[in-house]
Amino acid sequence: MKNRFNSSTLIWVILIVWGNLNVATAQVITSPQIDALVQRTLTTFDVPGIAVAVVKDGKVVHAKGYGVRSLKTGAPVDENTLFGIASNSKAFTSAALGMLMDEGKLNWDDKVIDYIPEFRMYDPYVTEAFTIRDLLTHRSGLGLGAGDLMFWPDSSNFTMKDIIHNLRYLKPVSSFRTKYDYDNLLYMVAGEVIERVSGKTWEAFVQDRIMKPLQMNRSAGSYTGLADKVNVIDAHAPVNGKVQVISRDMFRYGYSAGGINSSVADMSKWVIAQLNKGKYGENGSRQLFSEKVHAEMWSPQTIIPAGSTAVPPYNTHFAAYGLGWFLSDVKGYKQMSHTGGLAGMVTQVTLLPELQLGIIVFTNQQVGAAFSAVTNTIKDSYLGLPPTDWVTRYSDRVKKGQEEADKIAKDIWEGIAREQKNNTTKIDFVNYAGTYHDQWFGDVVLSQANGRWWFRSVRSPKLTGELFYYKGNTMVVKWNNRSFDADAYVTFSVDDQMKPVSIKMKPISPLTDFSFDFQDLDLQRVKE
């Protein structure tokens, strides 16, 4: 028995040493190879500019910009170029709450109504039970992106007070704490908790308590808060098939869900602190947040389906959401990551703490495949995996998805054109005109102007577009802003007199950003 135990122990020691040696001696990607990878990525995915940083063993081993900040100016991207990092801001929000917990000012499982008495969810039980932890873990029972139309696109006149009030009207699609569905509004509420507890706005708290200590000197909690806007990217997106500069999202609130603007050079400092369990400064002599808080942020809180089989090359067996981080296993290593997306820019941060590895990729075009191709290629080299042509793999996937979406749109618009030409259905648009009201989104007006029929949101004026008859009781709205890629079905319910009484909507394209949550609207006709 004793000899058998010793033999088994020896085998395990050999395996562990061999595994560590395999990673240690793997040929990691060099800076010139990253240069070539990113240049190919820029071309393949038609991205004007990308910035990449790699952190290893507490040091920045690569930080560089590629391409241009803007197609209008042609100014180059460098490691200090500022991007909107969008939902990568969420980890800062969970860290800020953790810092307040370290100070004894609140706890993860405190009730939200203890700090925001006017907070209400659709179900009274959920309101009473809802905790700060629930704000951060995407398990509220609300659907994907529910209520995002109150801030997306950024033309709306909703306030943070409106957001908190209108949560009560958003109907759940699953039972409380049973299912993962990503949300933004509750992270905005989390920012409000920080403000009410600390006496500072979320933006001021993050800048004073996180960015300044870490010397993230060029970064800010919002675009408007940037001290210097010279070295900043423009947003880009395909418009009628051609990538061009589009307007920047200019949110007036809700920065805790996605407001930070930063560079890969500054974000490297944040990544190093994360990999050091909150330690920073010379030889890690200072502590941003406690190791206990850090461990909680990186602990699974909400299970995310990861598939029934472990698919190569990463053989991922589990996925979950922590507190501001996505968690999974890749080739036996724990991975923390997050992505972020605003109109015309997307970002990704990836951490493998056992390898003391961090990868940051920022882009100024909204195709996420670009950052995934760069991140995975770099990550694979540190994992010692055989090379995978991620650029080609993602390019093929993007092309397939775009072809499917284009076919759907083509079929719809060809059907509309045939209907207009043949005029087989005598549609009386006047019958549909009027004001339709949704409890949380407000009024939508259907009216005629210049011989055409229009859909117009009163509280979100960028959501204005022409209406076209499609079939049955369904029309299609074609938004004036063609960068949205969010044209939608507008389906009417009628009463026994065939008079429209309500509207339901949903996006046409499967590629439409989930924050265009038209499906959550319940527009009821207002009696005149």
Side-chain angles (χ1 to χ4, degrees):
M1 188 73 173
K2 183 177 179 180
N3 288 337
R4 185 178 178 184
F5 175 80
N6 288 339
S7 298
S8 300
T9 301
L10 179 60
I11 291 171
W12 279 112
V13 169
I14 291 171
L15 288 173
I16 291 169
V17 170
W18 179 86
N20 290 337
L21 183 64
N22 185 49
V23 172
T25 59
Q27 181 60 54
V28 300
I29 194 167
T30 64
S31 283
Q33 288 171 328
I34 294 176
D35 295 344
L37 165 67
V38 180
Q39 291 295 343
R40 184 177 170 218
T41 301
L42 290 168
T43 302
T44 301
F45 298 104
D46 200 4
V47 179
I50 295 177
V52 179
V54 180
V55 170
K56 184 72 171 75
D57 298 326
K59 297 180 180 179
V60 179
V61 297
H62 182 92
K64 194 171 181 180
Y66 305 85
V68 297
R69 304 196 297 257
S70 172
L71 289 176
K72 287 184 176 179
T73 67
V77 176
D78 61 31
E79 71 276 16
N80 293 309
T81 299
L82 296 162
F83 295 71
I85 71 170
S87 286
N88 276 299
S89 305
K90 288 180 168 67
F92 286 78
T93 298
S94 63
L97 285 166
M99 294 164 75
L100 292 172
M101 292 179 196
D102 283 337
E103 295 169 4
K105 294 181 178 178
L106 46 72
N107 291 295
W108 295 121
D109 296 312
D110 285 351
K111 301 296 190 291
V112 174
I113 55 174
D114 290 340
Y115 299 95
I116 307 177
E118 68 272 28
F119 174 82
R120 297 287 184 276
M121 298 294 283
Y122 188 82
D123 186 318
Y125 162 74
V126 175
T127 297
E128 295 294 326
F130 216 92
T131 66
I132 291 173
R133 186 189 304 272
D134 293 321
L135 293 174
L136 307 177
T137 49
H138 307 298
R139 61 187 191 185
S140 66
L142 296 178
L144 176 65
D148 280 2
L149 283 176
M150 285 186 277
F151 74 89
W152 176 280
D154 67 340
S155 60
S156 79
N157 64 6
F158 290 91
T159 64
M160 193 61 220
K161 182 179 179 180
D162 292 330
I163 295 287
I164 293 172
H165 180 82
N166 290 345
L167 281 169
R168 69 195 67 193
Y169 301 128
L170 294 169
K171 297 179 181 179
V173 300
S174 61
S175 297
F176 183 41
R177 296 177 182 156
T178 63
K179 182 176 178 290
Y180 167 86
D181 270 306
Y182 192 87
D183 70 70
N184 288 299
L185 300 190
L186 295 172
Y187 263 85
M188 295 181 184
V189 177
E192 185 73 10
V193 171
I194 291 168
E195 179 169 349
R196 297 196 186 190
V197 172
S198 70
K200 293 184 175 183
T201 65
W202 175 88
E203 185 180 9
F205 187 96
V206 166
Q207 289 179 197
D208 293 344
R209 298 289 304 278
I210 298 178
M211 292 178 178
K212 285 183 180 178
L214 296 181
Q215 297 184 6
M216 298 174 65
N217 297 325
R218 290 182 48 77
S219 303
S222 69
Y223 176 76
T224 56
L226 290 173
D228 185 352
K229 297 185 177 67
V230 174
N231 191 2
V232 179
I233 59 103
D234 276 340
H236 298 80
V239 180
N240 297 322
K242 183 179 179 180
V243 171
Q244 58 186 261
V245 174
I246 63 171
S247 61
R248 174 183 297 275
D249 286 328
M250 296 293 291
F251 302 122
R252 295 174 292 104
Y253 60 87
Y255 301 134
S256 52
I260 289 175
N261 280 250
S262 189
S263 66
V264 295
D266 271 5
M267 282 292 286
S268 295
K269 300 168 185 176
W270 166 249
V271 164
I272 290 170
Q274 286 285 336
L275 291 171
N276 286 340
K277 301 179 181 180
K279 294 183 177 66
Y280 71 100
E282 187 175 356
N283 298 320
S285 58
R286 305 186 68 182
Q287 193 84 33
L288 195 66
F289 42 76
S290 67
E291 289 195 22
K292 181 180 179 182
V293 162
H294 179 264
E296 193 71 15
M297 291 190 291
W298 282 9
S299 295
Q301 309 285 333
T302 303
I303 300 300
I304 300 174
S308 58
T309 56
V311 179
Y314 298 130
N315 304 102
T316 296
H317 300 84
F318 86 89
Y321 198 85
L323 302 176
W325 293 96
F326 287 98
L327 315 175
S328 62
D329 65 312
V330 291
K331 212 62 180 177
Y333 292 92
K334 187 174 182 180
Q335 174 179 272
M336 273 57 65
S337 65
H338 216 290
T339 59
L342 295 171
M345 60 188 84
V346 290
T347 63
Q348 185 174 50
V349 176
T350 305
L351 311 178
L352 281 81
E354 292 155 294
L355 297 180
Q356 280 292 292
L357 174 67
I359 305 166
I360 307 163
V361 184
F362 293 169
T363 81
N364 63 357
Q365 214 262 67
Q366 58 193 33
V367 54
F371 64 54
S372 294
V374 173
T375 295
N376 287 1
T377 303
I378 295 171
K379 180 170 65 179
D380 289 359
S381 77
Y382 282 93
L383 290 171
L385 293 174
T388 295
D389 187 350
W390 287 109
V391 174
T392 297
R393 179 179 290 194
Y394 279 112
S395 177
D396 291 344
R397 188 179 300 178
V398 167
K399 288 176 182 176
K400 181 180 179 181
Q402 192 63 58
E403 287 171 358
E404 293 173 353
D406 289 346
K407 184 179 186 305
I408 293 170
K410 182 173 180 288
D411 290 346
I412 287 172
W413 291 111
E414 285 180 350
I416 289 172
R418 284 193 302 270
E419 179 61 40
Q420 289 179 329
K421 179 180 179 180
N422 300 327
N423 197 25
T424 56
T425 303
K426 302 296 183 182
I427 182 75
D428 183 6
F429 276 94
V430 175
N431 191 42
Y432 296 85
T435 300
Y436 296 77
H437 180 79
D438 177 84
Q439 282 187 299
W440 60 267
F441 188 61
D443 290 345
V444 163
V445 177
L446 308 187
S447 61
Q448 187 180 37
N450 302 320
R452 296 187 289 177
W453 285 92
W454 297 91
F455 176 110
R456 178 178 65 87
S457 165
V458 173
R459 300 200 65 177
S460 184
K462 280 188 181 179
L463 287 178
T464 296
E466 188 173 0
L467 281 168
F468 298 87
Y469 176 71
Y470 178 44
K471 61 182 178 182
N473 285 319
T474 298
M475 298 184 192
V476 165
V477 58
K478 183 177 183 179
W479 306 115
N480 292 347
N481 190 323
R482 301 311 299 154
S483 71
F484 287 170
D485 194 19
D487 295 341
Y489 298 108
V490 179
T491 300
F492 296 83
S493 294
V494 298
D495 60 17
D496 55 3
Q497 301 298 313
M498 299 303 291
K499 187 175 180 63
V501 293
S502 64
I503 292 173
K504 296 295 288 185
M505 298 176 66
K506 68 176 182 178
I508 291 172
S509 172
L511 302 180
T512 296
D513 191 287
F514 68 77
S515 285
F516 288 105
D517 61 316
F518 302 124
Q519 68 280 354
D520 293 318
L521 295 172
D522 183 16
L523 292 156
Q524 299 293 317
R525 192 168 193 169
V526 176
K527 293 183 179 180
E528 299 175 353

